[in-house]
Amino acid sequence: MRADRLLSLVLLLQARPDAAAPELAGRLGVSVRTVLRDVESLSAAGIPVYTERGRYGGIRLLDTYRTGLVNLSRAEGAGLAVGQSRLAGDLGLGDALDSAIEKIIGAGGQAVRGGLTQGRRHVIVDVDPWMRAGEPVPLLPLIHDGLLRGRRLELDYRDSDGTRRPRTVAPAGLVAKAGTWYLVTTEPSLVRVSRVLACAVLPQPADVPAGFDLEAAWAGLRDRVEVRPRDLRVVITTAPDAATMTRRLLARHLRDDDGTSTTVQLAFAGVPHAVGSLLGLGTRVEVTEPAEVRTAMRAEALAVAALYAPA
């Protein structure tokens, strides 16, 4: 298997031109000493790989060197089948992804082609959550273009409570979370792309701070959403035949639940949060406490009924 490891090392160096030996060792599942021996072997075989010492040193591959993909395995070909084609389509890059996969198949030969076919036959990747269709994001390609060009964006944005307001943001990155697209700004803050009603790419630069780490910013924002205080206690009763489904859909809000009663205790961040989560369940659930949530549910239901009242 050493030949496979050497090829993997070359491909890793193409993707990470200044990777450190410990990082490469971790990726390949070998010791640092083995990585250094492999580097010597590659150099002896005429592959332009070398090491650099110092704070910014690492193992490097000459920038102009490229290797083909003829040694991709059947399993690696199957891995191509789980590419996020729907997300690429949201970005306006669906055709580009298909073209890239075709090029990889052409370079990889029959084994890759067979692996891809097998993967598509047996594996489906659906990034949309249960009980909700994918959100339309017609402005995502324009937002992505502004991000790549490093420009500020002027947005017409609708908040979670329905309030519409203008926002001017400096885009730092895009995140697809369970089929929902978010724009991460340099503040950092989150912009739900499906709530953007209009977008203009401004001539001003976004001025992303030096050293801005998108993954770290996203992790902090995600934690802020996931662990936000849920101090509003809400009690509901469910129809007997809907109790299991209700618990599944509201699992993150359950409190002190034994899983058997039709009376369920929940926790939410506030009244709008509770109404937005419960209204879609219709007559399958009834809020019994507190009174302000019952009032808000009734007002929202009447507004929906008025909207669909006969002319």
Side-chain angles (χ1 to χ4, degrees), residues 17-265:
D18 56 353
E23 178 187 356
L24 294 170
R27 295 289 298 273
L28 296 171
V30 297
S31 67
V32 171
R33 180 176 296 181
T34 297
V35 168
L36 295 177
R37 281 202 306 264
D38 287 348
V39 168
E40 292 179 359
S41 299
L42 291 172
S43 180
I47 295 176
V49 60
Y50 58 97
T51 59
E52 284 189 353
R53 298 183 180 277
R55 180 179 178 184
Y56 299 104
I59 299 174
R60 301 180 184 276
L61 189 67
L62 196 65
D63 288 343
T64 56
Y65 180 81
R66 290 291 182 270
T67 185
L69 298 170
V70 293
N71 290 313
L72 282 176
S73 68
R74 186 179 186 88
E76 290 164 334
L80 295 175
V82 299
Q84 302 290 354
S85 57
R86 204 276 277 168
L87 300 183
D90 285 348
L91 289 166
L93 299 174
D95 290 343
L97 176 61
D98 290 341
S99 177
I101 290 177
E102 289 302 321
K103 289 178 180 179
I104 293 172
I105 293 171
Q110 182 59 42
V112 176
R113 189 177 299 109
L116 179 68
T117 301
Q118 188 177 42
R120 284 175 169 169
R121 185 183 302 127
H122 297 294
V123 178
I124 293 175
V125 178
D126 187 342
V127 298
D128 292 325
W130 287 107
M131 307 301 289
R132 190 182 76 201
E135 298 180 334
V137 283
L139 294 173
L140 180 61
L142 180 60
I143 292 171
H144 184 230
D145 177 65
L147 170 66
L148 295 182
R149 291 163 59 190
R151 302 291 182 82
R152 294 178 69 83
L153 302 175
E154 187 176 61
L155 308 177
D156 181 2
Y157 190 67
R158 186 182 66 247
D159 287 330
S160 58
D161 61 1
T163 303
R164 188 167 173 173
R165 63 187 178 93
R167 290 187 64 177
T168 300
V169 300
L174 285 163
V175 175
K177 170 68 170 174
T180 302
W181 282 100
Y182 294 93
L183 173 67
V184 179
T185 71
T186 57
E187 299 173 9
S189 66
L190 282 181
V191 173
R192 191 160 175 164
V193 175
S194 63
R195 293 182 183 150
V196 177
L197 306 177
C199 173
V201 179
L202 302 177
Q204 293 85 2
D207 292 330
V208 178
F212 184 90
D213 188 327
L214 178 60
E215 288 191 10
W218 165 248
L221 292 166
R222 182 188 60 209
D223 290 345
R224 191 186 306 172
V225 172
E226 291 178 346
V227 302
R228 63 181 175 176
R230 292 189 170 102
D231 300 327
L232 178 65
R233 176 179 171 273
V234 176
V235 180
I236 64 172
T237 58
T238 72
D241 59 350
T244 299
M245 180 193 70
T246 299
R247 283 184 169 85
R248 184 177 71 249
L249 294 177
L250 300 174
R252 69 173 65 182
H253 305 291
L254 291 176
R255 296 293 183 272
D256 302 323
D257 181 57
D258 62 8
T260 60
S261 174
T262 56
T263 298
V264 181
Q265 296 188 42

Side-chain angles (χ1 to χ4, degrees), residues 232 270-276 279 287 290-303:
L232 178 65
V271 173
H273 187 203
V275 172
L279 193 65
V287 175
E292 59 263 35
V293 176
R294 284 183 60 89
T295 300
M297 291 283 288
R298 182 175 184 274
E300 194 68 24
L302 288 173

